[in-house]
């Protein structure tokens, strides 16, 4: 088949002006795969971060629960101390009032005894029904005085004891309040730390979800590109089924299309030229006639390319063999 007809068939392949070539599609697919790998790695990383934060939150919650239990116990103890202190203060107030009352009674009795004056012997003897009665009256008055004094002393002792208890309970309440406040601050600090970790975990979960969503989109796009590439290659293979080793082209058309598009190009930056983009050292190494491939007839380029191809064993000599998926 003449070269012009081959080029005409190649040009007739279903590649619209907006469509991508097989090489472009393959490059896009590789880019999508690279993006998928990065997104997958990112999602896994943020997933591990979220898991670590979840474990840290669980530890914080256990500590907070323990501190809360301690705080509850201390608050109950503090409440008991406050109740005891209130009762002791009320008792102290009652004792003080009783002491004031007892002192007043004693003072009144002493004042009455002082105002009445000490009876003379004649009056006592005349008013007594006998010596025994006289003794009993004197003893009775003495006992009343002693009893009043004992009551005052007992009340005073009780008052002093209640005062000491009140002072002790007040100090205990202050100390217990200080301990309770410290535990409450610890509880609040743990709660704040837990909230911070929970916020960071939520952020990690959001980022992970975003990465997974992006991964899903990129994967779908990559699969669509793969379908498009498969369709394009199928159409090209069908249209160019008569091209290839033994035909107008010595190697698969997909490689030729990727390398040169079927044109006899002059040397590129690497020195590769011709329909098969053969570099000078490979050209001369396989017995090519002439200084470079593109200066030789197509038949000579076909011969050398077939030797290089070697029934597919030399496919690695063309980078496009990797791109189009032959290797």
């Amino acid at each position: 088949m003449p070269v012009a007809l081959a080029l005409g068939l190649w040009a007739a392949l279903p590649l619209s002006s907006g469509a991508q070539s097989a090489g472009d599609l393959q490059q896009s697919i590789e880019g999508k795969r690279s993006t998928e790998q990065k997104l997958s790695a990112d999602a896994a990383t943020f997933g591990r971060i979220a898991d670590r934060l979840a474990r840290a939150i669980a530890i914080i919650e256990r500590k907070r629960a323990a501190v809360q239990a301690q705080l509850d116990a201390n608050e109950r103890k503090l409440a008991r101390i406050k109740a005891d202190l209130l009762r002791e203060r009320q008792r102290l107030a009652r004792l003080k009032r009783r002491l004031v009352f007892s002192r007043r009674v004693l003072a009144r009795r002493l004042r009455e005894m002082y105002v009445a004056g000490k009876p003379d012997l004649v009056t006592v003897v005349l008013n007594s029904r006998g010596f025994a009665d006289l003794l009993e009256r004197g003893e009775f008055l003495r006992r009343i005085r002693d009893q009043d004094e004992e009551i005052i002393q007992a009340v005073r002792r009780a008052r002093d004891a209640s005062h000491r208890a009140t002072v002790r309970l007040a100090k205990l309440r202050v100390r217990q309040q200080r301990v309770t406040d410290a535990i409450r601050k610890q509880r609040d600090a743990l709660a704040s730390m837990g909230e911070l970790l929970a916020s960071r975990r939520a952020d990690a979960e959001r980022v992970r979800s975003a990465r997974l969503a992006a991964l899903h989109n990129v994967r779908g796009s990559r699969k669509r590109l793969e379908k498009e590439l498969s369709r394009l290659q199928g159409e090209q293979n069908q249209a160019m089924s008569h091209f290839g080793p033994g035909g107008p082209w010595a190697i698969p058309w997909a490689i030729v299309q990727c390398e040169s598009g079927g044109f006899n190009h002059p040397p590129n930056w690497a020195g590769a030229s011709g329909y098969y983009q053969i570099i000078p050292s490979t050209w001369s190494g396989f017995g090519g006639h002439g200084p470079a491939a593109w200066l030789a007839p197509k038949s000579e380029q076909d011969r050398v390319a077939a030797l290089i191809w070697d029934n597919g064993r030399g496919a690695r000599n063309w980078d496009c063999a990797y791109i189009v998926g032959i290797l």
Side-chain angles (χ1 to χ4, degrees), residues 72-183:
D72 293 341
N74 275 270
E75 286 181 340
R76 289 192 296 269
K77 184 176 180 180
L78 179 61
R80 289 194 297 271
I81 292 173
K82 288 180 177 179
D84 292 342
L85 179 59
L86 178 61
R87 285 193 296 271
E88 198 62 40
R89 284 174 173 170
Q90 292 172 346
R91 177 171 174 263
L92 179 60
R94 290 194 302 270
L95 289 171
K96 286 182 177 179
R97 289 194 299 269
R98 183 179 173 186
L99 181 60
V100 170
F101 175 76
S102 299
R103 284 176 173 173
R104 287 175 180 174
V105 171
L106 180 59
R108 187 172 60 251
R109 288 181 179 176
L110 292 175
R111 187 169 58 252
E112 289 174 351
M113 291 175 64
Y114 177 78
V115 171
K118 187 175 181 181
D120 55 20
L121 179 59
V122 176
T123 304
V124 172
V125 171
L126 291 176
N127 290 332
S128 299
R129 290 189 294 271
F131 185 71
D133 183 40
L134 176 63
L135 293 178
E136 287 179 1
R137 289 188 179 189
E139 182 66 18
F140 177 74
L141 293 175
R142 185 184 63 79
R143 286 183 179 180
I144 289 177
R145 268 196 322 273
D146 293 344
Q147 185 178 20
D148 288 341
E149 184 65 25
E150 288 177 2
I151 291 174
I152 291 175
Q153 293 299 326
V155 173
R156 184 181 291 118
R157 287 192 298 271
R159 180 206 59 185
D160 294 342
S162 180
H163 176 71
R164 289 191 298 271
T166 301
V167 172
R168 179 181 59 81
L169 287 171
K171 291 181 179 179
L172 183 59
R173 183 189 66 80
V174 172
R175 187 163 55 250
Q176 188 64 32
Q177 184 69 58
R178 190 161 50 244
V179 172
T180 302
D181 290 342
I183 296 174

Side-chain angles (χ1 to χ4, degrees), residues 180-313:
T180 302
D181 290 342
I183 296 174
R184 184 178 293 108
K185 288 180 181 179
Q186 184 181 4
R187 189 272 316 270
D188 294 342
L190 288 171
S192 177
M193 188 181 301
E195 291 174 359
L196 176 61
L197 291 176
S199 175
R200 290 183 177 178
R201 179 172 179 265
D203 291 340
E205 289 289 355
R206 281 193 294 271
V207 174
R208 178 175 176 270
S209 297
R211 294 293 191 276
L212 289 175
L215 175 61
H216 176 75
N217 293 334
V218 171
R219 183 174 289 136
S221 177
R222 189 254 303 166
K223 289 181 178 179
R224 288 192 294 272
L225 289 175
E226 287 176 342
K227 288 181 180 179
E228 178 65 18
L229 177 61
S230 178
R231 183 192 64 79
L232 178 62
Q233 289 176 339
E235 292 177 355
Q236 291 174 348
N237 290 336
Q238 183 179 5
M240 302 300 296
S241 59
H242 53 290
F243 289 179
W249 301 107
I251 65 175
W253 164 249
I255 298 178
V256 176
Q257 184 193 35
C258 176
E259 290 285 352
S260 68
F263 292 97
N264 188 28
H265 290 289
N268 62 14
W269 62 273
S273 66
Y275 295 102
Y276 301 100
Q277 292 292 286
I278 303 171
I279 61 176
S281 60
T282 303
W283 175 260
S284 61
F286 281 88
H289 296 296
W294 73 291
L295 297 175
K298 182 177 183 301
S299 59
E300 177 64 9
Q301 293 188 45
D302 290 341
R303 184 187 69 80
V304 174
L307 291 174
I308 299 171
W309 177 254
D310 191 18
N311 293 321
R313 287 186 288 273

